[in-house]
């Protein structure tokens, strides 16, 4: 097979072998089964084991398929689980910032709001959980575009709808912004969705560092920005919250 | 340097936590440790009180470390605790004489029935506000005195002390065998079946009827006053509050006015309504209890509706049926369908509680057709929590005459949007969630802070309460009424399942 990477092909063969018939095989059985040197088979098995695709029985030393493989098939993070894990941190972020907090995930070609914490001023506010925001014109969306190739793929080639004069509508400009987001670790959108509204967002990752969503603070330009840019203290708060949520996603589920 | 933080110790059923709060009520650090659940036989649940004390010390140390604070930074410490869980110990050695008997433990059912004799479950209700049920501490003390060899003699000689978890933690915190204070607060005392609600003193006649010597009982104090000074990690810090967990949540939610209510959605659900200085007797299956007492101000009373099975039904779906893998996933499953598909789930796992009190009832799933999927069942599970809340709210309205205008919620299940919306829909009032989800610990911190003047009054605390989310009713009246009727029909189907009424509900 031209262009195939040999070690990957061998790893796939090992997984198929373990998936069939016996299920639990020793090192020499794997090696003879596939006509590999023991050392080669061992190296591949160890790598697969580190990734969780293969497990070794501590008593017999035999190998079997790992739990990670099962998880791969259903590996998206439940958004309600995400909300439950994020609750404390999102609350604290809203209080520290004195502004509204949203959690968003990629859904079709937009950002689905999965959690919303009111601005702590007890004014009348309506829960926006379940609503959609545009990918290209929000801080949440730009974080997803910067880190999740699927999101960028979904968005396509533009030009995209301009909600305000400041909305980025051209691919080149947006991709340049995404590069900056990756460099800085956060995204902003100042009056790009609504006039007078600014937001700043950071990435939430699961324990395998996959991008699962984003958290943002959103509010009036006058309070969120300072001299035309988002206040550094808000950026710091959002990034701290994103890290705390990511850390909690790494913990055991309950 | 001035001490500018308050510590709260939350000694819960599954874990102990220490949370440090700043002046604005924001959480500075949390440390948590679980303790062993001991199940010696079906229906029995015990904790090792010595282990709990070790865990409490560890979480206090851990929280201080995490926050980078020392005892000098802590102005006061407040205690909140799982209610009714009962421990007896030797005052000279500080050793528990037996594992603590946990509130869920049903070993005293027969004893409670016997104590009710021809009068029945309500024999002590007028004085104590409670029915005779295995839940409460008094009969648990009696069981220990009857079953631990030689204990009654030692108790009568004054060598044995009784405490709920507040008392146990405070006694140890203030020095244990070296001068530890043997006290409890009015809210915890109001869950023993031994305290007179009107006088806030132990009722000698009832203690004698139940078989509890007065010598083992702690002194009853306010919920917010300095009981003594801590030794150990918190040396010198005033121990300044104690509240049962549900009362602490009422306080943390700043339900200070008559007619304000909160509902805490955890393993079970507990709805408490502030009835002010009025002791409201319940004729609809609620409990009358002390809400809190600040210093020497008059006590504030509450009506309580206890729902045995709410979060634990979600756990049942996860652990026993395995159709979800985490509690939060129930919302995803329920989201796959539009409605309950005609299915209703009444989780009367150990009988029906408030407001029915039918021990002959058992759980049912009803309205099943070929059409019903696991998504519909997930809906029915969430709706069961909403309808049970509705029944308790209706009972409260009948007993107190108070009509609820909004419901303040907290606890683990409040992260479930669908459920919160459903509760707003069936109650037809807005449901509000505050910022600090840890209202239990916050309530204990508030009470301790008030006692030492860290906060100047209830208004300051009220100003700290902010709405983090609100769900407004969206169900039309006709749907609500139809669903309510169906729920009541389903409840009907649970009754009379156990033919011989040989089991009391486990409350
Ligand atoms: N998203 C959710 N949807 C439905 N139920 C949930 C959700 N998240 C948690 N739960 C349920 O909430 C309960 C946990 O809530 P919580 O942590 O408030 O418990 P608790 O009763 O206070 O515990 P403790 O006795 O230790 O103080 C569990 O029974 C769990 O099944
Ligand atoms: Mg609790």
């Amino acid at each position: 097979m031209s262009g195939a990477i040999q070690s990957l092909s061998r790893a796939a063969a090992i997984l198929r072998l373990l998936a069939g018939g016996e299920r639990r095989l020793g090192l020499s059985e794997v090696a003879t089964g596939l006509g590999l040197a023991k050392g080669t088979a061992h190296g591949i098995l160890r790598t697969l084991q580190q990734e969780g695709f293969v497990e070794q029985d501590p008593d017999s030393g035999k190998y079997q398929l790992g739990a990670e493989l099962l998880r791969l098939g259903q590996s998206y993070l439940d958004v309600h689980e995400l909300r439950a894990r994020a609750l404390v941190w999102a609350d604290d972020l809203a209080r520290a910032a004195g502004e509204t907090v949203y959690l968003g995930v990629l859904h079709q070609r937009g950002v689905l709001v999965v959690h919303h914490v009111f601005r702590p001023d007890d004014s009348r506010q309506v829960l926006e959980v379940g609503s959609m925001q545009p990918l290209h014109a929000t801080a949440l969306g730009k974080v997803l575009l910067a880190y999740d190739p699927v999101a960028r793929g979904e968005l396509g080639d533009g030009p995209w709808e301009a909600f305000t004069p400041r909305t980025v509508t051209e691919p080149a400009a947006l991709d340049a912004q995404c590069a900056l987001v990756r460099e800085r670790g956060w995204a902003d959108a100042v009056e790009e969705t609504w006039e007078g509204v600014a937001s700043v967002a950071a990435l939430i990752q699961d324990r395998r560092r996959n991008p699962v969503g984003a958290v943002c603070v959103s509010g009036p330009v006058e309070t969120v920005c300072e001299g035309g840019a988002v206040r550094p203290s808000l950026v710091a708060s959002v990034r701290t919250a994103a890290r705390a949520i990511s850390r909690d996603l790494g913990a055991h589920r309950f | 340097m001035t001490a500018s933080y308050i510590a709260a110790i939350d000694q819960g059923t599954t874990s102990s936590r220490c949370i440090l709060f700043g002046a604005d009520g924001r959480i500075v650090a949390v440390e948590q440790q679980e303790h062993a659940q001991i199940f010696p036989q079906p229906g029995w649940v015990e904790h090792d009180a010595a282990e709990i004390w070790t865990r409490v010390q560890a979480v206090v140390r851990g929280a201080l470390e995490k926050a980078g604070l020392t005892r000098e930074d802590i102005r006061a410490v407040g205690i909140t605790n799982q209610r009714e869980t009962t421990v007896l110990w030797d005052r000279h050695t500080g050793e528990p004489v037996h594992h603590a008997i946990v509130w869920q433990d049903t070993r005293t059912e027969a004893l409670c029935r016997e104590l009710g004799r021809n009068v029945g479950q309500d024999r002590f209700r007028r004085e104590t506000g409670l029915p005779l049920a295995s839940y409460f501490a008094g009969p648990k003390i009696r069981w220990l005195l009857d079953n631990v060899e030689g204990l009654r003699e030692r108790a009568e000689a004054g060598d044995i002390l009784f405490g709920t978890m507040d008392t146990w933690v405070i006694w140890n915190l203030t020095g244990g065998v070296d001068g530890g204070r043997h006290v409890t607060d009015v809210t915890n005392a109001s869950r023993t079946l031994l305290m007179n609600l009107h006088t806030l003193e132990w009722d000698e006649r009832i203690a004698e009827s139940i078989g509890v010597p007065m010598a083992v009982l702690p002194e009853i104090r306010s919920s917010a006053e300095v009981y003594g000074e801590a030794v150990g990690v918190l040396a010198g810090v005033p121990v300044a509050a104690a509240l049962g967990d549900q009362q602490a949540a009422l306080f943390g939610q700043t339900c200070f006015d008559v007619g304000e209510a909160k509902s805490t959605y955890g393993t079970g659900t507990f709805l408490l309504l502030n009835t002010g200085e009025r002791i409201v007797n319940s004729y609809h299956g609620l409990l009358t209890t002390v809400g809190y007492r600040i210093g020497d101000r008059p006590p504030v009373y509450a009506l309580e509706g206890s729902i045995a099975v709410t979060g634990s039904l979600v756990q049942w779906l996860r652990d026993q049926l395995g159709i979800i893998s985490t509690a939060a996933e129930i919302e995803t499953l329920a989201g796959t369908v539009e409605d309950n598909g005609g299915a209703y789930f009444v989780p009367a796992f150990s009988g029906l509680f408030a407001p029915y009190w039918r021990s002959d009832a058992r759980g049912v799933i009803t309205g099943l057709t070929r059409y019903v999927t696991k998504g519909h069942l997930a809906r029915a599970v969430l709706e069961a929590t909403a309808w049970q809340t509705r029944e308790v709210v209706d009972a409260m309205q009948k007993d107190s005459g108070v009509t609820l205008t909004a419901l303040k919620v907290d606890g683990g299940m409040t992260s479930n949007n669908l459920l919160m919306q459903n509760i707003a829909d069936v109650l037809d009032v807005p449901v509000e969630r505050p910022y600090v989800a840890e209202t239990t610990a916050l309530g204990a911190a508030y009470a301790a802070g008030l006692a030492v003047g860290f906060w100047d009054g209830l208004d300051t605390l009220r100003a700290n309460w902010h709405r983090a989310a609100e769900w407004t009713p969206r169900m039309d009246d006709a749907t609500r009424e139809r669903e309510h009727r169906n729920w009541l029909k389903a409840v009907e189907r649970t009754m009379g399942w156990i033919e011989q009424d040989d089991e009391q509900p486990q409350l």
Side-chain angles (χ1 to χ4, degrees):
Chain A
M1 223 193 317
S2 73
I5 297 170
Q6 193 186 35
S7 55
L8 279 180
S9 306
R10 285 174 171 171
I14 290 180
L15 290 177
R16 276 194 211 100
L17 188 70
L18 290 173
E22 285 280 300
R23 293 189 63 89
R24 277 193 185 187
L25 299 173
L27 174 60
S28 45
E29 291 164 304
V30 173
T32 37
L34 297 173
L36 296 174
K38 259 193 178 181
T40 311
H42 187 240
I44 296 172
L45 279 166
R46 274 204 31 204
T47 310
L48 288 170
Q49 198 183 347
Q50 279 161 13
E51 296 294 335
F53 292 164
V54 159
E55 284 165 9
Q56 190 178 18
D57 185 74
D59 299 326
S60 64
K62 292 195 172 195
Y63 295 92
Q64 65 188 64
L65 292 183
E68 193 61 32
L69 269 181
L70 304 175
R71 242 174 263 140
L72 263 188
Q74 35 158 3
S75 85
Y76 80 105
L77 176 72
D78 187 285
V79 295
H80 304 297
E81 184 72 23
L82 174 60
R83 183 193 310 117
R85 294 295 173 112
L87 206 66
V88 176
W89 306 113
D91 280 359
D92 197 58
L93 177 58
R95 279 197 86 177
E99 305 287 357
T100 307
V101 167
Y102 297 104
L103 243 75
V105 300
L106 176 70
H107 181 68
Q108 288 156 4
R109 304 185 62 191
V111 182
L112 174 69
V113 174
V114 297
H115 185 44
H116 171 193
V117 185
F118 290 173
R119 198 168 56 246
D121 61 6
D122 295 323
S123 62
R124 255 224 106 65
Q125 297 165 67
V126 176
L127 212 57
E128 291 169 45
V129 174
S131 66
M132 296 288 292
Q133 294 186 2
L135 273 173
H136 68 285
T138 57
L140 286 176
K142 284 195 237 174
V143 165
L144 296 175
L145 288 171
Y147 291 99
D148 187 348
V150 179
R152 186 61 193 86
E154 285 286 341
L155 190 62
D157 286 336
W160 305 290
E161 185 181 350
F163 300 100
T164 74
R166 300 189 57 161
T167 309
V168 180
T169 56
E170 297 299 328
L174 191 67
D175 290 335
Q177 282 205 0
C178 287
L180 184 63
V181 170
R182 283 188 294 269
E183 200 175 297
R184 297 193 301 197
W186 54 277
D188 62 1
V190 180
E191 300 198 271
E192 292 171 38
T193 341
W194 299 281
E195 308 266 2
V197 176
S199 58
V200 51
L203 180 70
I204 300 171
Q205 294 172 302
D206 69 9
R207 69 196 159 85
R208 273 167 285 147
R209 324 206 107 239
N210 293 322
V212 293
V215 56
C216 88
V217 157
S218 172
V221 178
E222 306 85 72
T223 52
V224 172
C225 296
E226 196 172 63
V230 174
R231 280 184 9 231
S233 65
L234 276 187
V235 172
S237 300
V238 171
R239 297 186 69 187
T240 307
R243 267 195 300 271
I245 297 167
S246 301
R247 196 170 354 96
D248 265 13
L249 290 175
H252 270 290
R253 292 180 169 207
F254 49 87
Chain B
M1 212 193 121
T2 56
S4 42
Y5 301 91
I6 300 283
I9 295 171
D10 177 357
Q11 203 302 294
T13 309
T14 51
S15 69
S16 301
R17 277 185 287 195
C18 178
I19 304 189
L20 306 179
F21 292 93
D24 55 1
R26 273 182 67 193
I27 292 176
V28 184
V30 185
E31 182 75 356
Q32 177 167 1
Q33 281 195 9
E34 293 197 356
H35 56 262
Q37 305 292 321
I38 304 161
F39 305 108
Q41 59 186 74
W44 291 28
V45 190
E46 299 179 350
H47 289 160
D48 175 353
E51 180 192 358
I52 285 180
W53 172 236
T54 309
R55 304 273 174 205
V56 167
Q57 289 170 285
V59 295
V60 170
R61 214 176 300 118
L64 287 173
E65 268 166 30
K66 269 191 186 168
L69 299 175
T70 69
R71 59 193 165 85
E72 265 109 50
D73 300 307
I74 307 299
R75 187 65 188 283
V77 55
I79 319 292
T80 178
N81 56 291
Q82 49 168 325
R83 304 176 302 174
E84 297 108 8
T85 296
T86 297
V87 61
L88 295 182
W89 70 95
D90 184 319
R91 72 179 332 145
H92 309 294
T93 65
E95 302 278 345
V97 300
H98 189 275
H99 283 153
I101 304 183
V102 179
W103 57 277
Q104 299 144 325
D105 188 296
T106 56
R107 77 185 67 180
T108 56
E109 270 177 14
L111 174 62
C112 287
R113 228 167 0 212
E114 182 195 314
L115 288 169
R117 277 196 210 109
N118 32 22
V119 192
Q121 243 189 344
D122 287 338
R123 180 171 174 202
F124 304 125
R125 194 188 265 273
R126 204 159 39 86
E127 296 86 350
T128 65
L130 308 174
L132 258 168
S134 61
Y135 205 53
F136 305 109
K140 293 186 199 291
I141 304 175
R142 160 77 180 272
W143 188 93
L144 287 166
L145 294 173
D146 286 353
N147 288 276
V148 178
E149 180 138 4
L151 194 58
R152 183 167 290 281
E153 292 68 38
R154 289 162 71 195
E156 270 154 10
D159 295 330
I160 298 297
L161 301 179
F162 150 75
T164 39
M165 284 299 131
D166 54 319
T167 303
W168 172 245
V169 170
I170 294 171
W171 188 78
N172 280 294
L173 201 56
T174 54
V177 290
D178 298 321
R181 305 296 156 85
H182 189 224
V183 298
T184 188
D185 94 298
V186 284
T187 67
N188 278 294
S190 76
R191 316 295 293 192
T192 56
L193 267 170
L194 299 170
M195 188 188 79
N196 185 303
L197 277 179
H198 304 261
T199 61
L200 303 183
E201 283 168 7
W202 300 121
D203 188 311
E204 283 195 46
R205 197 186 53 81
I206 296 178
E208 201 187 308
S209 311
I210 296 184
V212 173
M214 296 296 287
V216 303
L217 300 176
E219 187 188 343
I220 302 176
R221 306 279 287 266
S222 275
S223 315
E225 66 169 275
V226 177
Y227 309 124
E229 272 188 7
V231 301
V233 220
L234 288 176
V237 176
V239 182
L243 287 153
D245 54 7
Q246 297 305 324
Q247 282 90 339
L250 184 76
F251 205 72
Q253 284 270 24
T254 67
C255 293
F256 303 140
D257 285 336
V258 178
E260 288 191 296
K262 70 87 202 178
S263 189
T264 302
Y265 291 89
T267 314
T269 287
F270 299 87
L271 203 149
L272 269 73
L273 171 78
N274 181 326
T275 61
E277 292 175 33
R278 250 179 85 211
I279 296 177
V280 176
N281 290 318
S282 176
Y283 300 95
H284 298 94
L286 306 177
L287 310 178
T288 311
T289 199
V290 182
Y292 56 88
R293 184 180 189 193
I294 306 299
D296 45 23
R297 286 189 234 167
V300 170
Y301 293 93
L303 270 177
E304 171 173 325
S306 334
I307 308 172
V309 182
T310 55
S312 53
L313 181 59
V314 176
Q315 279 170 317
W316 183 83
L317 218 65
R318 184 193 64 190
D319 301 336
Q320 252 87 339
L321 296 193
I323 64 176
I324 47 174
S325 63
T326 70
E329 264 179 43
I330 192 164
E331 196 174 346
T332 308
L333 187 55
T336 60
V337 292
E338 291 292 308
D339 56 28
N340 61 21
Y344 298 83
F345 195 154
V346 187
F349 288 165
S350 43
L352 281 172
F353 297 83
Y356 301 100
W357 300 104
R358 291 281 298 257
S359 53
D360 62 344
R362 284 299 178 270
V364 299
I365 303 174
T366 183
L368 293 180
T369 59
R370 271 301 290 271
Y371 171 76
V372 169
T373 65
K374 58 185 176 179
H376 295 121
L377 286 186
R379 286 248 170 196
V381 161
L382 295 178
E383 288 175 8
T385 291
W387 286 118
Q388 287 178 283
T389 305
R390 166 73 185 262
E391 296 190 313
V392 165
V393 166
D394 287 350
M396 281 198 171
Q397 191 174 330
K398 287 182 198 143
D399 278 334
S400 68
V402 174
T403 307
L404 214 61
T405 53
L407 184 67
K408 291 177 171 178
V409 298
D410 52 71
M413 292 182 96
T414 54
S415 81
N416 192 312
N417 256 299
L418 195 63
L419 173 63
M420 293 301 116
Q421 181 61 50
N422 197 224
I423 293 170
D425 286 342
V426 308
L427 297 183
D428 201 20
V429 299
V431 167
E432 301 175 322
R433 181 179 79 79
Y435 272 86
V436 180
E438 300 287 351
T439 51
T440 300
L442 184 63
Y446 277 172
L450 281 179
V452 297
F454 182 77
W455 285 296
D456 55 16
L458 299 183
D459 288 338
T460 310
L461 303 181
R462 221 187 244 115
N464 275 344
W465 191 98
H466 296 295
R467 197 186 301 118
E470 180 180 42
W471 294 267
T472 45
R474 290 201 296 235
M475 191 181 269
D476 61 81
D477 292 349
T479 309
R480 184 183 310 109
E481 273 154 35
R482 183 193 70 224
E483 290 300 307
H484 192 195
R485 266 198 314 277
N486 288 343
W487 166 259
L488 293 175
K489 272 198 287 186
V491 169
E492 195 98 333
R493 302 285 185 284
T494 65
M495 298 183 191
W497 181 259
I498 300 292
E499 296 202 352
Q500 272 171 354
D501 189 3
D502 54 2
E503 271 180 287
Q504 289 271 342
Q506 307 168 356
L507 209 123

